[in-house]
Amino acid sequence: MLFSELSQYLNRLEKTSSRLKITEILAQLLKKTKISEIDKLCYLILGYLAPPYQGVEFSLAEKMMMRVLARAFVVDKTIILKQYKKGGDLGVVGEGLWDTARHTQKVSVLQAYERLLAIAQESGEGSQERKIVGMVNLIQGLDALSVRFVVRIPLGKLRLGFSEITLLDALSWMISGNKKHRKEIEAAYNVRADIGFIAKTIKKDGLSGLKNIKISLGTPVMPALCQRLSTPEEMIEKMCSTADDLVAVEPKYDGTRLEVHFKRGKQGNRMVKMFTRNLEDVAFMFPDVAQALSQEINAENVILDGEVIGYDQKTGHLLPFQETVKRKRKHAIREESAQIPLRYFCFDILYYNGRDLLMMPFSKRRQILRKVVPPFCLGRARTIILSPQIITNDSQVLRRYYDKQIRKGLEGVVAKKWQAPYDVGRRGFTWVKFKHAKGKKGGGLTDTIDGVVMGYYRGRGKRAGFGIGAFLLGVRKGKDGDRFLTVSKVGTGLIDKQWREMRRRCNQVRARERPKEYDVDKNLQPDIWCQPAIVVEVEADNVTRSPIHTAGLALRFPRLVRFRDDKNVGEITTVEEIKKLGEMEKVRNK
Ligand code: ATP
């Protein structure tokens, strides 16, 4: 396929806001695509060159792109800057300059992909200049519309308003003209979270090809997630439907979820990957955990699931999430490793010495895990620790275990069906969390809400100095939804530093107009719109009905807890979940 043809599709997608229509257009596009190009095409239309866990980055900032355009179209940089300030989109600026370009060549999707990849992979001395030259050459051969999209990709600004999830629907639609195969396609994607690979498999072997998709060491598996229930009684009732059913109950750690892939090998040959919930490889942040894997675990190769958390050596207490994430600043990792040692609490095993364990019941997986991470160790402190647990089907026992964790300063507990397989990527009732409410005077919703920052309002009074006084919070419409509805205007709970941080982040993803996936009442329009990119965790005292918020619900006394960089917008709380939280609050207060 020629890139110019792909651009026609991208143009149609950009103008479309109906999710169904987008799915249909994508299905048409995928149908026309050849086996040899479908994986690359999927990456490109999502605005990247490889699945995010491979960490391929462009390192091409806006200033550099302005230099690219100035050179490609032989115009002064000041003209480009002026046009950019006016419209806010360098892709459109490039498209507008196009008529001065000379020869348009027939660039295929594969050629454009390979050239973009080569640009991204440039490194070392002189690489900035080589990146610029590479972009100039590519752009000069393209038609005007293609320039618009190719300029946006390295800037991370393609954002056509759909995600991998919509592509899963589109793959089903490509086969049958409807979404009926979505479930089985998603099941394969959950085991092998590479949309290009899934699309290629379907194109080549049809749906039957998906049956052969197995867990692959080094490629992330979608982590299992928790449901919530209001009381231990409800948990036992729902999770233990027969007298023989049991649940394992474990402490709920407030750290960072890490799925660790490890393969032993001679120095330099071993493999360590650590995936966050949004499937980014963050192994560079945890060199001490990587080191401990070689020394402490009994396995040749393994995929472990667990939570990493800071540990205070003096008191023996676990540290709050905020302390642990200080390591995000790349340069500070060495210092932080020394100051804040970590513990990796391991609670599951998905792969062991070449064997896929996903379908094995938890009771059996745990037996293997105990061999890999022995529960007791004599003599020296360990970094990798087997999460403790109790096995029960008695709600009183569950409640007492929960109380004990709260006294220890933990968040609560997670109950897990003892005989269930690992529930990849599902928020089913295989795992259920029971958390402590942190609201005023112990009240408040039993759980926090993860929402997207849709935009912000300029402040008045003291806040005018920050240029931000409140932000608009959105949640997802429906489990698979790519649409966002408003649920709150949040103006409290942030200290000065956080307001500055919020404004900085918002300005990085600023949109010129309301993103098409947002439904917002006209009386709530923020001064500055943001692309759906920033995920925040918010706590609130209650949920009320609302005539102005498009979710139909509003949060009472919402307060920012933290930025959730480990979650992407596809994972935020849904309207239905908020409704349920409100109902749970009523049950608790009866
Ligand atoms: P929360 O906001 O409640 O921390 P979340 O929104 O990040 O949770 P949930 O699916 O609601 O995600 O809760 C599951 C999370 O709890 C897991 O992703 C994991 O990070 C954390 N967790 C802590 N301890 C455990 C445990 N023992 N077993 C499973 N998950 C645990």
Side-chain angles (χ1 to χ4, degrees), residues 251-253 257 277 307 416 433 435 564 567:
K252 187 173 192 303
Y253 307 99
R257 179 83 173 265
R277 282 190 47 159
E307 188 95 351
K416 302 174 178 182
K433 59 184 169 179
K435 271 173 83 169
R564 289 297 302 249
K567 278 197 174 178

Side-chain angles (χ1 to χ4, degrees), residues 179-195:
K179 294 188 195 169
K180 72 175 180 202
H181 300 298
R182 153 72 187 275
K183 254 197 171 157
E184 53 188 305
I185 299 174
E186 186 174 2
Y189 177 72
N190 282 339
V191 175
R192 189 94 179 241
D194 175 346
I195 190 75

Side-chain angles (χ1 to χ4, degrees), residues 504-564:
R504 187 186 64 75
R505 287 178 180 241
C506 285
N507 286 344
Q508 270 175 358
V509 294
R510 189 175 171 147
R512 286 285 145 163
E513 51 194 40
R514 179 177 59 80
K516 62 182 181 181
E517 25 325 29
Y518 291 177
D519 292 338
V520 180
D521 185 279
K522 61 179 185 326
N523 295 316
L524 275 173
Q525 312 260 340
D527 296 316
I528 308 290
W529 288 106
C530 297
Q531 301 283 0
I534 307 168
V535 177
V536 288
E537 183 174 346
V538 167
E539 60 180 13
D541 277 7
N542 213 337
V543 176
T544 52
R545 289 221 188 118
S546 165
I548 57 162
H549 283 293
T550 44
L553 301 166
L555 302 179
R556 240 170 99 79
F557 304 122
R559 316 170 280 277
L560 179 85
V561 179
R562 64 192 180 203
F563 290 97
R564 289 297 302 249

Side-chain angles (χ1 to χ4, degrees), residues 223-228 250-258 277 305-307 347 387-388 411 413-414 416 427 431 433 435 447-448 450 537 562 564 566-567 571:
L225 298 172
C226 300
Q227 270 293 358
R228 331 176 164 82
E250 299 173 358
K252 187 173 192 303
Y253 307 99
D254 188 16
T256 301
R257 179 83 173 265
L258 273 193
R277 282 190 47 159
D305 193 3
E307 188 95 351
F347 47 70
S387 169
E411 262 200 319
V413 293
V414 181
K416 302 174 178 182
R427 211 178 259 278
W431 288 10
K433 59 184 169 179
K435 271 173 83 169
D447 206 350
T448 49
D450 298 312
E537 183 174 346
R562 64 192 180 203
R564 289 297 302 249
D566 61 331
K567 278 197 174 178
E571 289 183 291

Side-chain angles (χ1 to χ4, degrees), residues 264 293 295-300 352-353 370-374:
R264 223 171 261 291
L293 285 165
Q295 293 163 355
E296 296 179 14
I297 66 161
N298 300 322
E300 282 308 304
Y352 170 62
N353 288 351
R370 285 172 69 98
K371 276 196 256 158
V372 174
V373 183

